[in-house]
Amino acid sequence: MKFTEKTENNILQLTFHGDLLGIGDTLELMDLINEKINAGVLKSIINMKDVRYMNSSGIGILITIYTKFKNRNGEAVIINAAEQITKLLNMTKLNTVIKIFGSEQDALTKLNW
């Protein structure tokens, strides 16, 4: 798993690239999230547009990200998930916990961010 990040308007935007398997840059990702939350960034958009496959460890990463923000009264949402990823999120009922939007603009508009 690889990721890129940017913070704009106090929203952490994470974009995952490749397969979300819970290996690779996971420790770096968690360090980044902790750093941003400690700096007061309490909203995150997780862009899944470049994710082809995700296993249970990948689901765990999403849950961890969501939980870290929620524990600080923040929020994390998912955007641009491929059909296969969306089906997996629906099957695991993760879609009932983490909001999923079709685009960044949808997320920003519907969440009034």
Side-chain angles (χ1 to χ4, degrees):
M1 168 196 76
K2 297 285 185 193
F3 71 92
T4 54
E5 61 90 14
K6 71 177 181 175
T7 303
E8 191 173 285
N9 299 320
N10 219 29
I11 300 169
L12 173 61
Q13 299 177 15
L14 296 168
T15 302
F16 292 120
H17 307 280
D19 297 336
L20 192 52
L21 303 174
I23 55 177
D25 295 339
T26 306
L27 292 176
E28 181 184 341
L29 173 64
M30 293 307 148
D31 287 345
L32 169 73
I33 290 169
N34 289 331
E35 176 186 310
K36 294 293 183 177
I37 289 172
N38 290 335
V41 176
L42 299 177
K43 298 174 185 171
S44 180
I45 294 175
I46 304 165
N47 192 335
M48 304 279 287
K49 69 177 182 158
D50 293 331
V51 176
R52 301 171 307 213
Y53 175 79
M54 179 171 58
N55 65 7
S56 60
S57 294
I59 291 170
I61 289 170
L62 295 178
I63 292 169
T64 300
I65 293 169
Y66 174 81
T67 302
K68 283 181 177 291
F69 281 95
K70 205 63 172 171
N71 285 345
R72 290 300 228 8
N73 295 317
E75 187 161 11
V77 300
I78 295 171
I79 63 169
N80 298 327
E83 184 178 344
Q84 179 180 349
I85 301 298
T86 300
K87 285 180 183 178
L88 181 60
L89 296 172
N90 292 341
M91 259 180 22
T92 59
K93 305 289 185 204
L94 197 55
N95 65 322
T96 63
V97 178
I98 303 175
K99 293 178 179 144
I100 302 169
F101 297 97
S103 70
E104 181 179 340
Q105 191 57 50
D106 278 352
L108 293 172
T109 300
K110 290 179 182 172
L111 296 170
N112 295 314
W113 284 4

